[in-house]
Amino acid sequence: MSGGALITLKEDATEAGASSNGSGGNSNMAHNQQASGSGNVSGASSHNVNGGNGGPPEGTRQNSLQRIQLRKQKVFNLPVPQKLAKLSMYSACQSEGCRCTGWKTPQENRHRDVESSSYCPEFTEECRSCRHALQNHIAHLDGISGSQMNDLLGAIIDMENLFMSMQRVEDEDTKKVYLYLFRLLRQCVLTRQQAVIRGPLGDPPFETPCIAKAVSSFVFYKYNHLSQSELQTMTEVAKTFLNFLNHYNFEPPSMRRSGLTHEDASTYKINYTRWLVFCHVPAFCNSLRHFETSLVFGRTLLRTIFKYMAEQLRNKCTSERDRFPADKRSIITLMPKFLDALKSELLKDDSPIWDQGFRLSPAFIIQQRKRLQESNAGPATGSKRTSTGEPAHKRAKKETIDRAIGDGHFEDLTDETVVRAMKAISESKAINKSEILFPVNVSRDENVKAEEQQRAIEFHVVGNSLTKQVDKQTIFWLIGLQAVFAYQLPEMPREYISQLVFDTKHKTLALIKENQPIGGICFRPFSSQGFTEIVFCAVTMSEQVKGYGTHLMNHLKDYSIKHGIRHLLTYADCDAIGYFKKQGFSKDIKLARPVYAGFIKEYDGATLMHCELHPSIVNTQFISVIRKQSEILKELIAQRHNEVQKVRPGLTCFKEGLRSIPVESIPGLREIGWKPQMRAQRTSRPLEESSDPEKLAASFTAILQSLRQHQAAWPFLRPVPAAEVPDYYDHIKYPMDLKTMGERLKQGYYVTRRLFMADMARIFSNCRFYNSPETEYYRCANSLERYFQTKMRELGLWDK
């Protein structure tokens, strides 16, 4: 299934319905969906066609998620024959020559729901379409494990939800995306493979730095002068903003066309599609991998939606002010000021927060991490949760901080150290005269740069023009370049080469030697799309293998970066692929196809290649900088080696009767850079029975709240209803659940952690006693118990 179908799909909802019924599902798909009373994606996305007002209330979103999860659990708990019957409706018939792609219920049972307890088809019942028995549709599922079966059933439910969403949504762009994802899941069920989204949309993250990192940089850049308490408040404001963004529902492109230019509308359509595919739909269809909006999008998207999102956030703060606790209302008060300041930085082209090289101070990162730990220890909010059970906004903040630390906040070498190393390198070269007089290992790049400095060669960007006079020198060079390209590229028609070289929209980077062009790169910049197309690249035969080709490409890269272009694209024939690979090009195209499709010229038998440019790199100096860094590193290693290359006498203290000595007393250990590890002193348990009861209760409250929101907690949220499980209390004499524990906590029952752990252990032991190991309840107990132990260890309350 090609990812390109996402852009080119033309089918409407009725065609999608026909496809699902005829190509392998169940013709009663819509009926089954309604009969089962499931939640669906459109319940949370129908706002897209109703005005995009920031989405439905959080309660509506949570209700939809709960309904979907409940339906899945109901299907997961069905007897195996019923599960297989459900799978057969989406499984191709295994009979030889049969092309039926899904078992369909007989006519007399057409309106019966296979998910209900009242109907379980016999394996001998014939398919209404191909007349083969049901067992012929599930013959390939012999030996499938319970977890694999549940994964397939989960994908089927997600697929049915998407089908229902296609029927309800009105926006054509959104409907096309649902149709694409529906077909993707349909194919995954048929092939029993994991759903992977490939194609022109690219892979997350789509822009760097991401919004979350930029907002974190903004807080430090704008408010690091404030006191610690004020800075913490602004951090909470930023956290609220990112949480709102992660739950924000975008308007479809059809509703935004009037306020955007053609270029901006095209970009917004691409980002809207990415948001649907990677962020919005996976929040309800966990068969697809889910990403947070703030972690995969950057400045371009935020600029497009900021005006509307900020207005809705202001309105929300005003309308829900009274619902906030008194100690949190300062966040509401400061939000307008925060939005105005962020807008200013968003519109500035030179704002440092959007610079990939912007660095947070180590002190600020430590403060951020400390606050994160404190927030994790405190009561969790009712925010949306990820597949790991962690609140989405907390995970976004944690990943933002981890990425900031991962960007390289290690101690740099001092300037003095670098200067000493460079001086030593210079002295070493001065002593070794032969290396200077007869350089056997000088790179071609150095020779080319030396020629350029001596003006033996020159680089000029030239092109034709219809609006101003073109000087004779330029015409002379263009004619010479035409001859170079025609001679070096004999497969290209001369007329075609002339047409492009003299075309006013194309430019050529010319390599001039003795006033004659000896090579060049003909290119066409597409500034509105953010890329440059390389059309021809050639150097005359007599001047090849001298480094001119690499230096030409480096000049073009620097020229593109100077003019705000970050991507190069070209179609390379089989003889040129190796050259372009050496210049940093790859067959892995990071640009979305709609960005360049229809703009770039396509050639039969050629390979499309892409190079992404980094704005902080000066490509013409890159090789020499790396070489200089390598020399400095080798010199520093040599200096350190000389420092530690000493033979010290052995230890004689043990012969004198000592049984042990401190590690740091070993001679020479500190000289080689060893530092003693600062081990935390073991103190008495901070929250043990003798500790502050209020602090202990707060920890228990946080743990309970976190457990309730875990994905495996649903069987233990409240007491088991005797009406639904009549014999439960005959076997379980001392029942326990999370709701009862919450009530006990409020009454002050848990005065020690032992009492709290005992009740929690009883929940899991009761479940494992009553249910067999192959049941979903048993697996939930194991999963939630591991999560409970992890949370207890994080708070220092676990000593087992």
Coordinates of all heavy atoms in Angstrom, one line a residue, residues 67-77 150 153-155 157-158 161 284-287:
R67 N -15.2 4.5 26.1 CA -16.1 3.6 25.4 C -15.3 2.7 24.4 O -15.6 1.5 24.3 CB -17.1 4.5 24.5 CG -18.2 5.1 25.4 CD -19.4 5.5 24.5 NE -19.0 6.4 23.5 CZ -18.9 7.8 23.6 NH1 -19.3 8.3 24.7 NH2 -18.6 8.5 22.6
I68 N -14.3 3.3 23.8 CA -13.5 2.4 22.9 C -12.8 1.4 23.7 O -12.7 0.2 23.3 CB -12.5 3.3 22.1 CG1 -13.2 4.3 21.1 CG2 -11.5 2.5 21.3 CD1 -12.3 5.3 20.5
Q69 N -12.2 1.8 24.8 CA -11.5 0.8 25.6 C -12.4 -0.3 26.2 O -12.0 -1.4 26.2 CB -10.7 1.6 26.8 CG -9.8 0.7 27.5 CD -8.6 0.2 26.7 OE1 -8.3 0.8 25.7 NE2 -8.1 -1.0 27.0
L70 N -13.6 0.1 26.6 CA -14.5 -0.9 27.2 C -14.9 -1.9 26.1 O -15.1 -3.1 26.4 CB -15.7 -0.1 27.7 CG -15.5 0.6 29.1 CD1 -16.8 1.4 29.4 CD2 -15.2 -0.4 30.2
R71 N -15.2 -1.4 24.9 CA -15.5 -2.3 23.8 C -14.4 -3.3 23.5 O -14.6 -4.5 23.3 CB -15.9 -1.5 22.6 CG -16.4 -2.5 21.5 CD -16.5 -1.8 20.1 NE -16.8 -2.8 19.1 CZ -16.7 -2.6 17.8 NH1 -16.2 -1.5 17.4 NH2 -17.0 -3.6 16.9
K72 N -13.2 -2.7 23.5 CA -12.0 -3.6 23.2 C -11.9 -4.7 24.3 O -11.7 -5.9 24.0 CB -10.8 -2.8 23.1 CG -10.6 -2.0 21.8 CD -9.3 -1.4 21.7 CE -9.2 -0.6 20.4 NZ -7.8 0.0 20.2
Q73 N -12.1 -4.3 25.6 CA -12.0 -5.2 26.6 C -13.1 -6.3 26.6 O -12.9 -7.5 26.8 CB -12.0 -4.5 28.0 CG -10.8 -3.6 28.3 CD -9.5 -4.4 28.3 OE1 -9.5 -5.6 28.6 NE2 -8.4 -3.8 27.9
K74 N -14.3 -5.8 26.1 CA -15.4 -6.8 26.0 C -15.0 -7.8 24.9 O -15.3 -9.0 25.1 CB -16.6 -6.0 25.6 CG -17.8 -6.9 25.3 CD -19.0 -6.1 24.8 CE -20.2 -7.0 24.4 NZ -21.3 -6.2 23.8
V75 N -14.5 -7.3 23.8 CA -14.1 -8.3 22.7 C -12.9 -9.2 23.1 O -12.9 -10.4 22.9 CB -13.7 -7.5 21.4 CG1 -13.2 -8.4 20.3 CG2 -14.9 -6.7 20.9
F76 N -12.0 -8.6 23.9 CA -10.8 -9.4 24.3 C -11.3 -10.5 25.3 O -10.6 -11.6 25.3 CB -9.8 -8.5 25.0 CG -9.1 -7.5 24.1 CD1 -8.5 -6.4 24.7 CD2 -9.2 -7.6 22.8 CE1 -7.8 -5.5 23.9 CE2 -8.6 -6.7 21.9 CZ -7.9 -5.6 22.5
N77 N -12.4 -10.3 26.0 CA -12.8 -11.3 27.0 C -13.8 -12.3 26.4 O -14.4 -13.1 27.1 CB -13.5 -10.6 28.1 CG -12.5 -9.8 29.0 OD1 -11.3 -10.1 29.0 ND2 -12.9 -8.7 29.5
N150 N -5.6 -10.7 20.2 CA -6.1 -9.4 20.7 C -5.6 -8.2 19.9 O -6.3 -7.2 19.7 CB -5.7 -9.3 22.2 CG -6.6 -10.2 23.1 OD1 -7.6 -10.7 22.7 ND2 -6.1 -10.4 24.3
L153 N -7.7 -8.1 16.9 CA -9.0 -7.6 17.2 C -9.0 -6.1 17.5 O -10.0 -5.4 17.1 CB -9.6 -8.4 18.4 CG -9.9 -9.9 18.1 CD1 -10.2 -10.6 19.4 CD2 -11.1 -10.0 17.2
G154 N -8.0 -5.6 18.2 CA -7.9 -4.2 18.4 C -7.8 -3.4 17.2 O -8.4 -2.3 17.0
A155 N -7.0 -3.9 16.2 CA -6.9 -3.2 14.9 C -8.2 -3.2 14.2 O -8.6 -2.2 13.5 CB -5.8 -3.9 14.1
I157 N -11.2 -3.2 15.6 CA -12.1 -2.2 16.2 C -11.7 -0.8 15.8 O -12.6 0.0 15.5 CB -12.1 -2.4 17.7 CG1 -12.7 -3.8 18.1 CG2 -12.8 -1.3 18.4 CD1 -12.6 -4.1 19.6
D158 N -10.4 -0.6 15.7 CA -9.9 0.8 15.3 C -10.4 1.0 13.8 O -10.8 2.1 13.5 CB -8.4 0.8 15.4 CG -7.9 0.9 16.8 OD1 -8.7 1.3 17.7 OD2 -6.7 0.6 17.0
N161 N -14.1 1.8 13.8 CA -14.3 3.2 14.2 C -13.9 4.2 13.1 O -14.6 5.2 13.0 CB -13.4 3.5 15.5 CG -13.9 2.8 16.7 OD1 -15.1 2.4 16.8 ND2 -13.0 2.5 17.6
F284 N -6.9 7.8 19.5 CA -8.1 6.9 19.6 C -7.9 5.6 19.0 O -8.7 4.6 19.4 CB -9.3 7.6 19.0 CG -9.6 9.0 19.5 CD1 -9.0 10.1 19.1 CD2 -10.5 9.1 20.6 CE1 -9.3 11.4 19.6 CE2 -10.8 10.3 21.2 CZ -10.2 11.4 20.7
C285 N -7.0 5.4 18.1 CA -6.7 4.1 17.5 C -5.3 3.7 17.9 O -4.3 4.1 17.3 CB -6.8 4.2 16.0 SG -8.4 4.7 15.4
N286 N -5.2 3.0 19.0 CA -3.8 2.7 19.5 C -3.1 1.6 18.7 O -2.0 1.1 19.1 CB -3.8 2.3 21.0 CG -4.8 1.1 21.3 OD1 -5.2 0.4 20.3 ND2 -5.2 0.9 22.5
S287 N -3.7 1.2 17.6 CA -3.0 0.3 16.6 C -2.0 1.1 15.9 O -1.1 0.5 15.2 CB -4.0 -0.4 15.6 OG -4.9 -1.1 16.3

